[in-house]
């Protein structure tokens, strides 16, 4: 059964406690997730979004316990990605003529996903769907995070259905932000922003300003994943404005992989030097082969500077570092300094390749990096410490 949120709005989504990977293997969901869908019952009834495809039958069955499906007048699809549209085919088999309100891009994407000739009703920013006492007001939010993304605002009870924006991959039975562990909640919200929304930060700022300028009272923000923001919805909006503005904390991350420990020894010596020169900075070391890549990306997002390390192998990089560099290129972090380091035995290309990769990913390159031949001895480790001191001082 659904969970009643307000007099007219009921949560009818799916909490997925078992989810550990999302977007294929691209995103780790150690705390599970939820696919939030909502029924808005006024004189007319609208369903906002559905759930991921594996739960389509369960979704439809549970929806039937909540409402006679024939009483659903409209479907609003804020976003076509399969985690929100996946149950549509099963639902539309039951209520095939129900109009689906979505953006023009959403209609194109849904047609290409499901190849069905459903009754699509394309809406734009400012359009509204009258439900009786209140309306659903639509605001297009292209590239937050797909071209079709849209927000729907329920005027009847001042609720913003923001879809992926302000979401977290965070399974909870508690439903609301104020009932869950705050460090888990904001940690997951930051990880979500860092790994999904960072490339679109300029658009995030613009869209939030646009929505704020509408002066709509917001009692609750209901995203499509995780907990619902009811205690003070403004606080997650303020976090987004902060995160979208080249976010950084006083943190330096050393991110590396290592074969026979030489690059690790360098990392630890460089970290010592950084701590000498900047005792106030938080210094974190992460072995990319052993740490979750999305957690690493979140720590890089929080950092003012990073040092990326790999030994040279086959004239190139260890694959875990190369993969991470490709993630960084796509995430387009802003305002972060960087340099490279690594051990080598003969050809030693890794440091120059890392430096070029960091530059291409938009990092400000501090220097040419630090290389060590074979196993660093005490003198080389001293040099690494000095290198760390100089790196920290240069920031
Ligand atoms: Fe939660 Fe972009 O789908």
């Amino acid at each position: 059964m659904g969970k009643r949120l307000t007099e007219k709005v009921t949560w009818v989504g799916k909490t997925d406690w078992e989810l550990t990977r999302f977007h294929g293997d691209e995103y780790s969901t150690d705390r599970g997730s939820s696919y939030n869908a909502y029924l808005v019952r006024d004189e007319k009834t609208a369903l906002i979004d559905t759930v991921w495809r594996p739960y389509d039958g369960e979704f439809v069955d549970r929806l039937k316990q909540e409402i006679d499906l024939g009483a659903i007048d409209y479907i609003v699809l804020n976003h076509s990605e399969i985690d929100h549209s996946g149950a549509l085919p099963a639902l539309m088999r039951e209520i095939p003529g129900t109009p689906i309100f979505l953006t023009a891009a959403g209609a194109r994407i849904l047609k290409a996903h499901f190849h069905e000739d459903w009754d699509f009703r394309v809406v734009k920013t400012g359009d509204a769907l009258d439900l009786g006492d209140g309306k659903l007001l639509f605001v297009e939010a292209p590239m937050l995070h797909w071209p079709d993304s849209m927000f729907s605002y329920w005027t009847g009870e001042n609720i913003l259905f923001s879809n992926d924006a302000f979401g977290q991959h965070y399974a909870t039975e508690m439903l609301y932000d104020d009932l869950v562990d705050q460090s888990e909640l904001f940690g997951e919200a930051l990880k979500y922003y860092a790994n999904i929304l960072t490339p679109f930060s300029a658009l995030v700022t613009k869209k939030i300003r646009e929505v704020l300028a509408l002066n709509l009272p917001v009692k609750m923000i209901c995203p499509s994943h995780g907990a619902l923001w009811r205690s003070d919805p403004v606080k997650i909006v303020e976090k987004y404005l902060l995160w979208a503005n080249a976010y950084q904390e006083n943190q330096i991350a050393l991110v590396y992989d290592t074969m026979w420990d030489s690059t690790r020894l360098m990392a630890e010596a460089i970290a010592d030097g950084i701590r000498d020169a900047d005792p106030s900075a938080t210094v974190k070391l992460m072995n990319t082969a052993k740490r979750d890549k999305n957690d690493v990306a979140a720590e890089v997002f929080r950092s003012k500077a990073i040092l990326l390390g790999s030994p040279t192998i086959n004239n190139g990089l260890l694959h875990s570092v190369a993969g991470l560099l490709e993630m960084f290129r796509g995430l387009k972090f802003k305002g972060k300094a960087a340099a490279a380091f690594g051990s080598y035995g003969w050809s030693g290309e890794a440091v120059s390749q890392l430096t070029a990769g960091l530059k291409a990913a938009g990092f400000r390159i501090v220097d040419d990096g630090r290389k060590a031949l074979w196993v660093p001895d005490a003198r080389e480790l001293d040099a690494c410490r000095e290198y760390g001191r100089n790196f920290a001082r240069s920031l």
Side-chain angles (χ1 to χ4, degrees), residues 125-126 138-142 151 203-216:
T125 294
F138 301 118
V139 179
E140 293 168 275
F151 301 160
L203 296 170
V204 170
T205 306
K206 194 163 163 240
K207 185 53 60 179
I208 289 177
R209 300 255 177 251
E210 182 189 319
V211 172
L212 290 176
L214 296 174
N215 278 319
L216 300 168

Side-chain angles (χ1 to χ4, degrees), residues 22-23 79 81 83-84 145-146 163-164 169 192 224-225:
F22 188 78
H23 284 161
H79 178 30
E81 194 162 7
D83 50 326
H84 309 298
H145 67 124
W146 271 21
N163 200 264
D164 284 339
H169 285 306
Y192 191 96
S224 58
H225 299 289

Side-chain angles (χ1 to χ4, degrees), residues 280-302:
S280 67
T282 299
V283 179
K284 287 189 180 160
L285 284 81
M286 285 165 285
N287 181 324
T288 53
K290 298 183 181 184
R291 292 287 302 272
D292 176 84
K293 61 184 180 302
N294 303 109
D295 291 340
V296 173
E299 290 299 344
V300 170
F301 176 72
R302 294 174 62 186

Side-chain angles (χ1 to χ4, degrees), residues 253-361:
L254 291 99
V255 175
Y256 63 92
D257 197 353
T258 189
M259 290 174 72
W260 294 109
D261 278 347
S262 293
T263 300
R264 176 181 64 80
L265 290 169
M266 292 180 74
E268 291 178 3
I270 295 170
D272 284 346
I274 293 171
R275 294 279 302 135
D276 276 353
D278 187 358
S280 67
T282 299
V283 179
K284 287 189 180 160
L285 284 81
M286 285 165 285
N287 181 324
T288 53
K290 298 183 181 184
R291 292 287 302 272
D292 176 84
K293 61 184 180 302
N294 303 109
D295 291 340
V296 173
E299 290 299 344
V300 170
F301 176 72
R302 294 174 62 186
S303 298
K304 62 182 179 183
I306 70 162
L307 282 141
L308 191 60
S310 172
T312 298
I313 178 169
N314 298 334
N315 309 107
L317 310 174
L318 284 178
H319 82 274
S320 73
V321 179
L324 208 62
L325 201 49
E326 176 60 12
M327 278 179 74
F328 294 168
R329 190 194 58 73
L331 289 173
K332 301 183 174 65
F333 294 123
K334 294 273 187 298
K336 299 186 191 301
F341 65 98
S343 67
Y344 70 106
W346 49 103
S347 59
E349 294 94 333
V351 168
S352 60
Q353 289 180 13
L354 286 171
T355 304
L358 286 164
K359 188 170 181 203

Side-chain angles (χ1 to χ4, degrees), residues 118-132:
W118 293 323
D119 179 5
F120 295 117
R121 308 283 178 92
V122 168
V123 296
K124 299 192 291 298
T125 294
D127 290 348
L129 177 61
D130 202 337
L131 298 186

